Amino acid sequence: MAVSVNLAKALDKEFEDKPLKDILDASPAALAGITDAKAAALKELLGIKTIRDLGSNKFFAVAGVLVALEGKAG
């Protein structure tokens, strides 16, 4: 099954038409709104060098689950 996702607003222009592997291997600065300075801070503080690292980081994963749970709590 083919899946199509429009990431134009989530990525810098130069990455909009790149293959997923290239996007995941890119610096977090390839994400719209993350500057080179912010990407450097992620690398220095958390060892995050790529978008793949960012997406698989245990701290961000736990935070995402907690946010999702908030909507289910009650």
Side-chain angles (χ1 to χ4, degrees):
M1 169 191 342
V3 176
S4 177
V5 178
N6 184 350
L7 296 173
K9 293 185 181 191
L11 299 170
D12 287 348
K13 271 265 190 244
E14 71 178 276
F15 288 91
E16 289 178 2
D17 295 321
K18 300 254 183 194
L20 181 58
K21 183 184 180 321
D22 292 351
I23 295 168
L24 292 174
D25 289 340
S27 164
L31 296 171
I34 297 187
T35 64
D36 288 336
K38 289 176 183 175
L42 285 169
K43 182 177 179 182
E44 181 181 334
L45 297 171
L46 297 172
I48 293 172
K49 300 176 204 147
T50 66
I51 293 173
R52 179 180 285 105
D53 293 340
L54 181 64
S56 61
N57 179 278
K58 66 181 179 181
F59 302 113
F60 290 102
V62 169
V65 168
L66 291 172
V67 170
L69 286 173
E70 179 184 35
K72 306 293 183 204

